[in-house]
Amino acid sequence: MTKGKFLSEHKTWEDVATLFLGFVLMVSPWIFSQTTNGDAITNAGVIGFLLILLAGFEMSRLHRWEEIATLLLGLWMIVSPFALDYAALTPLATVHQVIGALVSVLAVLQLWQDWDYSDDELGHRT
């Protein structure tokens, strides 16, 4: 399998990676920081749960809105330490930004792979 073909087709590993990143995000406040910042904990829990949910949906049936939602959640995780004022919690903020960047890259990759398919064709590509 050539590298070009490997990246040109939507694979399950991308959804599994997103699922794993969502789980790491959910538990990150307790692993990477001993924080009591409610905003950071709630943000990580809610966004992590939504990433897990979206990855599960993508594994069962592909829809473009799932990839767009995943991209938006990834971008939110990049800016959330500043928006929710927990950027001073350096390890936690860094982990959230790295996870956000990885999720965003995976979402863009999936959108790029599925760009030429109609919504009906996309739904039958699982």
Side-chain angles (χ1 to χ4, degrees), residues 9-25:
E9 199 173 299
H10 191 124
K11 304 284 188 207
T12 305
W13 72 264
E14 298 156 351
D15 301 323
V16 172
T18 301
L19 189 126
F20 174 74
L21 290 169
F23 176 75
V24 171
L25 184 60

